[in-house]
Amino acid sequence: MGNSLFKLTSLNLNGIRSASSKGLQDWLAAERPDCICVQELKAQAPDMAGRFEHLAGLDGHFHFAEKKGYSGVGIYSRHTPSDLRVGFDGGEFDAEGRYLELRFDSPQRKLSLISAYFPSGSSGEERQQAKFRFLAAIRPHLLALAREREFILCGDINIAHQEKDLKNWRGNQKNSGFLPEERAWMTNLLDGRSPEGHLVDVYRQLQPDTTDACYTWWSNRGQAYANNVGWRLDYHLATPATAALARTEAIYKGQKFSDHAPITLAYDLTL
């Protein structure tokens, strides 16, 4: 990736302490992204103090869950934001630490970077219903935001959109993450014909047909990682004009920092 491009990484950490113990900071120092959006901090402010406010020269900003050791998102950036927004719904999901938006506005442009962690419904029907409530709440928020400003949302969406986005799609059609309702939600969000507006799946804009190479998450059960029985759950979703600035993409699988792989896209933009 060229040094002139803006490198933006997304990674579900499955715990910042765990990911750091597996070499995350050395990798960031070598890769030098301009910004990394992280999910599942599994930490609170006292856990971060003196240890994780900064990573490899990047300054951190966070949205912690109220529940200890649960959820939480962050954004580490080389650039100082003009503003930040913590949370989006003022209620159920803000308490779970699922949304952080950094704004990098100038007289010429309004631009946001968002780190988001969508709920998983895999633990049972109660959490699946929470996931549906989250999807219903965040879609109008994102579409309203897109009418006001450019943005890139990075995050663990916990939805594999199409059959090519997971290995065993036939056997997962009744499982959370590949339910028809979830996939339809994603299709609607990406529908360029929608009068409400739409977002762009930036990875798929650059790599429309990849299958095995696109996965970003593997179950810890069995030999899923060794056999590349994976899912594409981690996305860059962007407003159309900003998505058009994407030039390169990379999913790093050289080391395992968590059960997710970092996905980095480079954009022809400056903050």
Side-chain angles (χ1 to χ4, degrees):
M1 295 182 181
N3 292 332
S4 62
L5 298 177
F6 178 80
K7 290 175 65 172
L8 176 61
T9 298
S10 185
L11 174 61
N12 180 313
L13 300 169
N14 197 12
I16 190 165
R17 286 162 286 199
S18 173
S20 293
S21 74
K22 296 172 183 174
L24 174 64
Q25 298 193 51
D26 288 342
W27 179 77
L28 287 173
E31 282 294 305
R32 293 187 55 79
D34 293 280
C35 181
I36 178 170
C37 298
V38 295
Q39 303 86 42
E40 276 206 280
L41 290 167
K42 293 187 174 181
Q44 271 62 39
D47 304 313
M48 306 289 283
R51 296 182 67 191
F52 301 120
E53 297 108 319
H54 313 279
L55 290 183
L58 306 174
D59 295 331
H61 310 267
F62 311 104
H63 181 197
F64 301 113
E66 293 177 2
K67 180 180 176 182
K68 287 188 176 181
Y70 180 74
S71 190
V73 296
I75 301 177
Y76 291 90
S77 175
R78 291 194 192 287
H79 306 273
T80 302
S82 57
D83 193 13
L84 71 160
R85 303 295 171 94
V86 178
F88 79 98
D89 79 327
E92 176 181 8
F93 299 109
D94 285 359
E96 293 185 354
R98 294 189 177 277
Y99 181 97
L100 178 66
E101 176 185 347
L102 300 192
R103 296 187 167 185
F104 298 89
D105 293 356
S106 69
Q108 295 77 34
R109 178 196 65 197
K110 293 181 178 179
L111 174 68
S112 292
L113 301 179
I114 299 166
S115 182
Y117 176 42
F118 285 37
S120 168
S122 59
S123 64
E125 185 59 25
E126 181 180 342
R127 288 308 298 169
Q128 185 61 45
Q129 291 306 314
K131 184 177 186 179
F132 285 140
R133 290 194 300 275
F134 181 94
L135 296 178
I138 200 164
R139 183 175 184 271
H141 169 77
L142 294 177
L143 293 179
L145 194 68
R147 290 191 285 271
E148 301 172 3
R149 58 179 47 246
E150 295 294 313
F151 68 80
I152 306 167
L153 181 152
C154 292
D156 177 359
I157 307 301
N158 266 314
I159 299 170
H161 182 210
Q162 298 172 296
E163 293 171 2
K164 59 190 172 184
D165 292 325
L166 72 167
K167 189 74 167 184
N168 290 334
W169 67 266
R170 286 184 179 86
N172 279 293
Q173 294 177 80
K174 295 182 180 180
N175 291 334
S176 183
F178 199 60
L179 295 174
E181 302 95 323
E182 297 169 340
R183 298 173 63 203
W185 181 90
M186 184 70 78
T187 296
N188 290 335
L189 185 68
L190 303 176
D191 185 358
R193 301 163 298 176
S194 172
E196 299 175 274
H198 74 289
L199 300 181
V200 175
D201 179 348
V202 188
Y203 175 87
R204 280 295 179 212
Q205 178 179 264
L206 296 175
Q207 293 287 354
D209 301 316
T210 54
T211 53
D212 291 3
C214 79
Y215 307 145
T216 63
W217 176 82
W218 300 262
S219 170
N220 286 320
R221 298 173 189 164
Q223 295 293 311
Y225 188 77
N227 296 324
N228 199 26
V229 180
W231 298 54
R232 186 171 77 99
L233 299 180
D234 302 87
Y235 290 74
H236 287 220
L237 301 176
T239 44
T242 298
L245 302 176
R247 298 290 179 261
T248 61
E249 91 300 322
I251 298 171
Y252 178 72
K253 301 173 186 176
Q255 291 167 266
K256 281 193 75 175
F257 308 115
S258 76
D259 49 354
H260 292 253
I263 176 169
T264 301
L265 279 84
Y267 297 82
D268 189 7
L269 62 81
T270 55
L271 295 189

